[in-house]
Amino acid sequence: MEDIEFRTTLLRSLKNCLEAADKLNEIYKKTNETLDLILGNQLEIKHTRTEKTNIIQTPDSRPEERKNQVNDLKCEEAKNTQPEKQNEKRIQKCEDSVRSLWDSFKRTNIRIIGVPEDEREQDIENLFEEIMTENFPHLVKEMDLQVQEARRTPNKRNPKRTTPRHIIIKMPRAKDKERILKTARERSSVTYKGIPIRLSADFSTETLQARREWQEIFKVMNTKNLQPRLLYPAKLSFRIEGQIKSFTDKEKLKEFITTKPGLYEMLKGIL
């Protein structure tokens, strides 16, 4: 029975990897197409500007002609700014797609911070079980604790690094990861053999930065009892006037607070 479950889990993981690889390949193609389009537009704009500048600077050209050519050049530049903005949106969309895909890879991961590096580098999976038993014995009894992958990151140790490398634990189900992290947050401290450690979700670098940008706003809202929460992957949620509002970026929050004077006064110095 265990062998069948293992094979099923392995096939499911392989299928997910193949689907993710197809999505990544599609994003890669779209990104290349967008970059080619941007380069083509930039070359065309540069050629047009050079050509018209040369005409304007020609000694034989009349003042009226020069004035008309300058106006034509300004109009041309104004038209060219529109494709540039569209290209910027395309690039942002590609970057968001890559970030979303990378976060989906990490969705079931737990990052463990602070475990010393020792001779047990080949036994990290059992090390995680020890951490669970030491801190959450009731979860170990209630859950079917399975680990798909356990490793240090980065793969190679840097002699100049003074802090231990993080441990990445890949769980088979996101709900198992969420339950463990929720229990860790409710506990005053998490330890490994008495040494304080920390358990957190595993995010892409971009998503982690996006979450950090909410921290100051989160703290202010928390002191005002707005019940703020950071939702997956980087969305700020809070309660105001009996309703729950959520925002994915600061610009949308800025627009919203203009309609709420009290909230505007609260956040105007940090937003």
Side-chain angles (χ1 to χ4, degrees):
M1 191 64 183
E2 290 181 0
D3 185 55
I4 293 173
E5 290 179 355
F6 173 75
R7 289 171 180 267
T8 303
T9 302
L10 188 63
L11 288 172
R12 190 185 300 116
S13 299
L14 181 60
K15 181 183 176 182
N16 291 339
C17 287
L18 290 173
E19 290 176 353
D22 289 338
K23 289 180 181 177
L24 190 59
N25 188 44
E26 184 179 345
I27 292 170
Y28 177 75
K29 287 180 180 178
K30 288 182 179 179
T31 303
N32 280 340
E33 289 172 2
T34 301
L35 290 174
D36 289 340
L37 181 62
I38 291 170
L39 290 173
N41 288 340
Q42 287 179 338
L43 288 173
E44 185 178 346
I45 292 168
K46 185 177 179 181
H47 176 73
T48 303
R49 289 189 65 181
T50 303
E51 189 178 61
K52 293 198 173 185
T53 301
N54 290 337
I55 293 172
I56 292 169
Q57 292 174 348
T58 302
D60 296 334
S61 60
R62 297 176 181 177
E64 295 81 4
E65 291 178 351
R66 291 183 184 180
K67 185 177 179 180
N68 291 334
Q69 288 163 353
V70 168
N71 290 334
D72 290 344
L73 184 58
K74 288 179 179 178
C75 291
E76 190 69 28
E77 287 179 347
K79 290 179 182 178
N80 288 330
T81 56
Q82 294 179 354
E84 286 180 6
K85 289 180 179 179
Q86 291 175 353
N87 290 335
E88 288 175 2
K89 288 181 180 179
R90 290 193 189 101
I91 291 175
Q92 186 61 49
K93 189 175 181 180
C94 288
E95 289 177 350
D96 290 343
S97 297
V98 172
R99 187 180 85 169
S100 177
L101 181 60
W102 191 233
D103 283 329
S104 70
F105 272 124
K106 296 169 171 280
R107 185 68 190 266
T108 61
N109 288 3
I110 295 175
R111 183 177 288 264
I112 305 176
I113 304 166
V115 176
E117 299 192 42
D118 55 23
E119 69 281 356
R120 295 188 55 191
E121 291 307 298
Q122 304 302 320
D123 195 25
I124 294 178
E125 186 173 330
N126 288 335
L127 185 148
F128 174 64
E129 291 179 6
E130 288 182 18
I131 292 172
M132 291 294 296
T133 302
E134 180 177 336
N135 296 277
F136 320 116
H138 64 287
L139 282 185
V140 176
K141 293 178 182 179
E142 295 172 7
M143 293 175 60
D144 179 19
L145 195 62
Q146 297 180 15
V147 175
Q148 283 189 343
E149 183 184 354
R151 58 184 174 82
R152 290 272 186 181
T153 183
N155 293 328
K156 293 184 179 180
R157 186 172 185 175
N158 184 353
K160 296 180 181 179
R161 188 184 179 96
T162 57
T163 56
R165 291 173 295 163
H166 298 177
I167 292 173
I168 301 298
I169 303 294
K170 191 170 189 64
M171 307 295 292
R173 294 175 294 271
K175 65 178 182 179
D176 292 342
K177 178 208 76 171
E178 293 297 340
R179 188 178 179 187
I180 291 170
L181 292 181
K182 183 176 182 293
T183 306
R185 286 193 297 269
E186 293 170 350
R187 186 182 171 92
S188 58
S189 65
V190 180
T191 59
Y192 169 65
K193 294 183 177 180
I195 301 171
I197 61 172
R198 186 159 61 90
L199 273 60
S200 73
D202 186 31
F203 299 106
S204 65
T205 304
E206 294 79 9
T207 297
L208 190 59
Q209 179 59 35
R211 289 176 69 89
R212 284 172 179 162
E213 289 177 359
W214 288 120
Q215 287 302 318
E216 193 173 359
I217 296 171
F218 183 95
K219 289 177 182 177
V220 172
M221 288 185 169
N222 200 34
T223 60
K224 301 299 182 179
N225 199 29
L226 294 181
Q227 302 174 25
R229 294 180 61 196
L230 273 179
L231 305 178
Y232 186 90
K235 183 188 293 186
L236 178 69
S237 166
F238 58 92
R239 183 178 290 274
I240 183 170
E241 298 176 353
Q243 295 183 328
I244 295 176
K245 299 291 182 179
S246 59
F247 298 89
T248 55
D249 61 69
K250 289 185 177 181
E251 290 303 317
K252 291 181 180 178
L253 179 58
K254 278 183 182 180
E255 293 176 8
F256 176 75
I257 67 173
T258 57
T259 65
K260 307 291 180 184
L263 191 59
Y264 177 81
E265 287 298 320
M266 186 191 307
L267 300 176
K268 67 178 182 179
I270 57 174
L271 189 59

